[in-house]
């Protein structure tokens, strides 16, 4: 999530069927729990600000063997 672009509208939170997207209480911005994210891209499609992008799991060492 690009925090500079995120307006905190919460649409991504509502659309995530895996419960991977939550709102940060202190910043009121979307945050993605990568251990719950399946990479389906629904949040990207629904974000009116285009503040969300997918990252290849292979580039995140802690998550390469998660799924």
């Amino acid at each position: 999530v690009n925090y500079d672009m995120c307006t905190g509208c919460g649409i991504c939170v509502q659309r995530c069927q895996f419960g991977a997207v939550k709102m940060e209480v202190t910043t009121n911005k979307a945050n993605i729990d990568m251990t719950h994210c399946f990479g389906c891209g629904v949040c990207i499609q629904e974000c009116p600000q285009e503040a969300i992008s997918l990252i290849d799991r292979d580039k995140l060492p802690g998550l390469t063997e998660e799924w």
Side-chain angles (χ1 to χ4, degrees):
V1 176
N2 181 331
Y3 291 127
D4 292 333
M5 295 174 66
C6 178
T7 61
C9 69
I11 293 172
C12 55
V13 175
Q14 295 169 7
R15 296 292 294 146
C16 181
Q17 60 188 335
F18 304 108
V21 186
K22 308 264 191 247
M23 294 302 287
E24 284 289 335
V25 177
T26 56
T27 61
N28 198 36
K29 305 279 182 173
N31 188 28
I32 299 173
D33 181 348
M34 295 301 292
T35 60
H36 288 92
C37 177
F38 279 80
C40 69
V42 171
C43 57
I44 295 169
Q45 299 294 324
E46 296 296 322
C47 181
Q49 303 302 318
E50 298 180 359
I52 302 173
S53 58
L54 285 179
I55 299 172
D56 188 5
R57 281 189 185 279
D58 293 336
K59 296 187 180 183
L60 301 170
L63 295 171
T64 54
E65 296 181 22
E66 195 65 33
W67 294 112

